[in-house]
């Protein structure tokens, strides 16, 4: 049984340390709940939460739309994305949303200088239209897809 669709299922990636599990994993699950709700129960229109080590080792999931949560010092995926993604939102250079939804691979990194700033980046992503933009691009009607 297929559990993940590479075009519609969003992978949320957090750091693997216990501190990041305590701080960033709840943010990822908060964002997952928002995405899942907007998916309205359709099979693959949802999010899954994984650690950065798992994601980096399982390259098959690199084709999925991916959102890294947590700074480049604590999340290896954010470290990769931060060097390549443009900054689309910044507040006082402490809260950062980096994203590119134009190409085939949809990517975002949500992070800040501390846990509170990372939480603010997740909230900005959710409320400032970035999540809407991503979902509008990946959940459009596709030929051969039953909606």
């Amino acid at each position: 049984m297929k559990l993940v669709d590479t075009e519609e299922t969003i992978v949320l990636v957090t750091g693997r340390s216990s501190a990041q599990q305590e701080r960033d994993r709840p943010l990822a699950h908060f964002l997952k709940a928002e995405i899942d709700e907007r998916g309205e129960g359709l099979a693959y229109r949802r999010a899954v939460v994984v650690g950065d080590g798992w994601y980096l080792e399982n390259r098959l999931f690199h084709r999925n739309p991916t959102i890294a949560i947590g700074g480049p010092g604590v999340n290896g995926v954010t470290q990769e994305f931060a060097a390549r993604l443009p900054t689309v939102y910044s507040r006082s250079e402490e809260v950062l949303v980096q994203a590119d939804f134009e190409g085939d691979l949809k990517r975002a990194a949500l992070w800040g200088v501390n846990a509170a700033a990372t939480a603010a980046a997740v909230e900005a992503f959710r409320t400032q239209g970035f999540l809407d933009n991503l979902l509008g691009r990946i959940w459009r009607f596709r030929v051969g897809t039953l909606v």
Side-chain angles (χ1 to χ4, degrees), residues 50-94:
V50 301
D52 61 343
W54 184 91
Y55 180 85
L56 292 168
E57 292 170 7
N58 290 280
R59 301 201 73 68
L60 174 66
F61 292 93
H62 294 200
R63 297 185 329 196
N64 286 69
T66 303
I67 301 170
I69 299 172
V74 298
N75 185 328
V77 176
T78 302
Q79 188 173 33
E80 283 189 13
F81 289 179
R84 294 183 280 186
L85 296 177
T87 299
V88 295
Y89 177 90
S90 176
R91 190 173 74 213
S92 304
E93 296 183 22
E94 293 182 354

Side-chain angles (χ1 to χ4, degrees), residues 23-147:
R23 294 182 189 122
D24 296 340
R25 181 111 352 186
L27 296 172
H29 281 283
F30 170 75
L31 190 55
K32 175 189 175 9
E34 178 79 16
I35 292 166
D36 291 353
E37 182 178 317
R38 293 188 191 193
E40 299 178 339
L42 294 171
Y44 307 114
R45 292 186 177 187
R46 63 189 184 92
V48 295
V49 178
V50 301
D52 61 343
W54 184 91
Y55 180 85
L56 292 168
E57 292 170 7
N58 290 280
R59 301 201 73 68
L60 174 66
F61 292 93
H62 294 200
R63 297 185 329 196
N64 286 69
T66 303
I67 301 170
I69 299 172
V74 298
N75 185 328
V77 176
T78 302
Q79 188 173 33
E80 283 189 13
F81 289 179
R84 294 183 280 186
L85 296 177
T87 299
V88 295
Y89 177 90
S90 176
R91 190 173 74 213
S92 304
E93 296 183 22
E94 293 182 354
V95 175
L96 295 156
V97 174
Q98 295 178 276
D100 181 2
F101 303 144
E102 295 295 325
D104 288 336
L105 299 176
K106 313 294 190 236
R107 302 282 184 253
L110 316 177
W111 58 285
V113 297
N114 56 37
T118 297
V122 171
E123 185 63 12
F125 185 80
R126 188 179 72 81
T127 62
Q128 300 297 313
F130 303 110
L131 179 58
D132 293 334
N133 183 4
L134 173 62
L135 297 180
R137 290 171 184 267
I138 65 173
W139 288 355
R140 67 196 179 280
F141 178 78
R142 292 187 327 197
V143 174
T145 302
L146 299 174
V147 234

